[in-house]
Amino acid sequence: MAQYHRNKWHNITEISTTTPFLLLAAWLFFRSSSRTYQWLLNSRLAGNYIRAFREQRAIPLHAKVISIFLLWLSISYSIFWVVSHTWIKVLLMGIAIGVSVHILSYNTLVKNRKE
């Protein structure tokens, strides 16, 4: 029974942010269906992120913070409690650093404050 439980935890997928998937969906819909692409752009939840990225190549500050926090939370969990091989731990750390640098390399979209 203990072996089954161990294997179950090794099959856990990483927690990933939705931004890359939204951008991929937008790109695919843009290439295949203008009606679906317009629906995605007009979506209350996803539309603002996609428009900001396409028009300004920028990611909102709160999306950056949440993305990087969840990335490091999931990678840290994997490194300390899931993975036993040192080379995989080093690989995961390298991936986390690379993705963090990539996210931070984009401009930050800050909402205009009305004063």
Side-chain angles (χ1 to χ4, degrees), residues 11-26:
N11 291 331
I12 294 176
T13 57
E14 294 293 327
I15 297 171
S16 59
T17 61
T18 57
T19 302
F21 298 111
L22 287 174
L23 295 175
L24 176 62

Side-chain angles (χ1 to χ4, degrees), residues 5 22-24 31 39 58 68 71 79 82-83 85 102 106:
H5 186 69
L22 287 174
L23 295 175
L24 176 62
R31 307 282 290 167
W39 172 81
I68 291 174
L71 169 73
I79 287 173
V82 177
V83 176
H85 298 292
H102 180 72
Y106 285 102

Side-chain angles (χ1 to χ4, degrees), residues 38-78:
Q38 288 303 318
W39 172 81
L40 191 59
L41 282 181
N42 293 325
S43 167
R44 183 176 60 89
L45 298 174
N48 291 334
Y49 291 107
I50 295 168
R51 272 192 299 281
F53 190 81
R54 287 201 44 121
E55 294 169 4
Q56 302 172 18
R57 302 290 290 175
I59 300 172
L61 179 61
H62 70 279
K64 280 186 174 184
V65 170
I66 291 170
S67 298
I68 291 174
F69 173 75
L70 289 176
L71 169 73
W72 281 97
L73 181 69
S74 63
I75 293 286
S76 298
Y77 175 79
S78 296

Side-chain angles (χ1 to χ4, degrees), residues 82-96:
V82 177
V83 176
S84 59
H85 298 292
T86 304
W87 71 271
I88 297 176
K89 291 180 180 188
V90 172
L91 179 65
L92 287 173
M93 185 64 72
I95 290 170

